[in-house]
Amino acid sequence: MVKTVFSIGLSTGENLVIKKNRLEGEGFLGKGKRVAIVSGIHGDELEGQYVCYEMIRRLKANPEYLEGTIDVYPALNPIGLTVADRMIPKLEKDLNRMFPGNRQGGTFDRAAAAVIQDLEGADLCIDVHASSRFVKEIPQVRICEEFAKKLIPYAKHMNVDMVWTNATETVHESTLAHSMNVKGVPTLVVEMGLGMRINRNYGRQVVDGIFNLLSEMGIWKEKPRNIQFPVLSTDGEVEFIRAECSGMFIPAIEHSHFVKKGDKIGEIIVPIEGRVEKEIIAGKDGLVFTLREYPMVSEGALLARILTDIRTKKTKEAE
């Protein structure tokens, strides 16, 4: 059942309307666990739209498997999604820097507060994002170090390639995920793909993971097959590779590629002079989980991230 979470008229004559689709198992109305799936905070991140669609489609196809409640919020920033703008149009504000909101504040502060209020009491929240339009990401769950002990048991069932634990001081306190975790609702942030695009393979991978997690929580009676377990990471095990000069970046490897120290990741070229300005070399062994897609770069631009020490981690986990 589609319900309105928040609605208000805007000075432009438009209406800001945030909706959710609530799906409840037969005989479980108001009973059982509740999981919320949220997306569309940033209007240029479209991967979550496919995830929400596929979740609702599968839930409707097999309602007899659902033993609880699933709330799906595809578009928390519907105006941004309409114009594919990361920010709130005209205001140029990031909605994911406005939580937990303020019910007596401005329009979007009130919208953020209404979303938080609606999410409270959920047993789990999954916040689905995409990367920017500049770099491509493999499916991953990002969690704050402060809440890692509570969140990793959920994240490991999400069928993603990695779980990246970020240091607490690098996490903005005004994000939806941080606000919900502070309120006691376990909240995972999923990131994948590329801004302004939809990768259906990634979307299906994440949807399979969500259903796997629902099965583990006792909400979904069917267990998905071929579920993978992620590599767990921390900030100290991720190597950031940035451009040392301006030019056009031409990758020499594929995304989600394993490299060894000394391998060539790509090069920065100067087209008008027909020369290579800089070769980009891996400083460590590992998995390239972030790779730049947009060729034009300036000095300091992110080119790649490498998840290192994978062999050591797998050995320790096996022990």
Side-chain angles (χ1 to χ4, degrees), residues 290-307:
T290 303
L291 185 64
R292 191 172 185 90
E293 287 276 327
Y294 189 75
M296 297 301 295
V297 298
S298 299
E299 184 177 350
L302 179 65
L303 302 180
R305 296 190 188 99
I306 300 178
L307 176 61

Side-chain angles (χ1 to χ4, degrees), residues 123-189:
D123 294 280
L124 178 71
C125 179
I126 300 171
D127 182 14
V128 184
H129 289 259
S131 183
S132 70
R133 60 189 174 91
F134 298 104
V135 296
K136 187 177 184 180
E137 301 278 2
I138 62 175
Q140 60 197 265
V141 171
R142 295 185 180 182
I143 58 180
C144 175
E145 188 177 53
E146 180 182 355
F147 308 109
K149 186 176 180 180
K150 186 175 184 179
L151 297 180
I152 286 177
Y154 293 103
K156 68 181 183 181
H157 295 293
M158 280 288 293
N159 195 41
V160 292
D161 296 309
M162 63 176 287
V163 175
W164 186 4
T165 302
N166 292 284
T168 299
E169 58 269 21
T170 67
V171 177
H172 203 288
E173 294 183 356
S174 295
T175 63
L176 179 140
H178 191 275
S179 298
M180 294 310 301
N181 277 309
V182 167
K183 287 181 173 293
V185 177
T187 301
L188 305 174
V189 175

Side-chain angles (χ1 to χ4, degrees), residues 135 137 140 142 162 164-167 170 233-244 265 280-284 287-290 300-308:
V135 296
E137 301 278 2
Q140 60 197 265
R142 295 185 180 182
M162 63 176 287
W164 186 4
T165 302
N166 292 284
T170 67
S233 172
T234 65
D235 280 338
E237 295 163 332
V238 174
E239 180 184 16
F240 289 72
I241 298 179
R242 298 186 181 277
E244 297 179 12
I265 292 176
I280 311 302
I281 305 299
K284 296 181 180 180
L287 171 67
V288 178
F289 70 92
T290 303
L302 179 65
L303 302 180
R305 296 190 188 99
I306 300 178
L307 176 61
T308 65

Side-chain angles (χ1 to χ4, degrees), residues 255-275:
H255 183 240
S256 191
H257 185 86
F258 283 90
V259 295
K260 293 184 178 180
K261 182 179 179 179
D263 283 354
K264 183 177 177 179
I265 292 176
E267 53 193 24
I268 297 176
I269 63 171
V270 182
I272 195 169
E273 297 180 11
R275 65 179 176 85

Side-chain angles (χ1 to χ4, degrees), residues 19-67:
K19 298 180 179 181
K20 70 177 180 181
N21 194 339
R22 167 162 287 186
L23 300 105
E24 296 179 286
E26 187 176 347
F28 284 86
L29 275 66
K31 300 178 182 178
K33 294 181 179 178
R34 176 165 68 98
V35 171
I37 300 166
V38 175
S39 193
I41 290 179
H42 295 132
D44 62 347
E45 297 179 4
L46 306 179
E47 300 281 12
Q49 300 305 297
Y50 184 75
V51 169
C52 290
Y53 156 78
E54 187 66 7
M55 282 296 307
I56 294 171
R57 186 189 69 79
R58 294 192 197 181
L59 288 164
K60 285 184 173 181
N62 296 286
E64 69 276 11
Y65 293 159
L66 181 59
E67 296 185 339

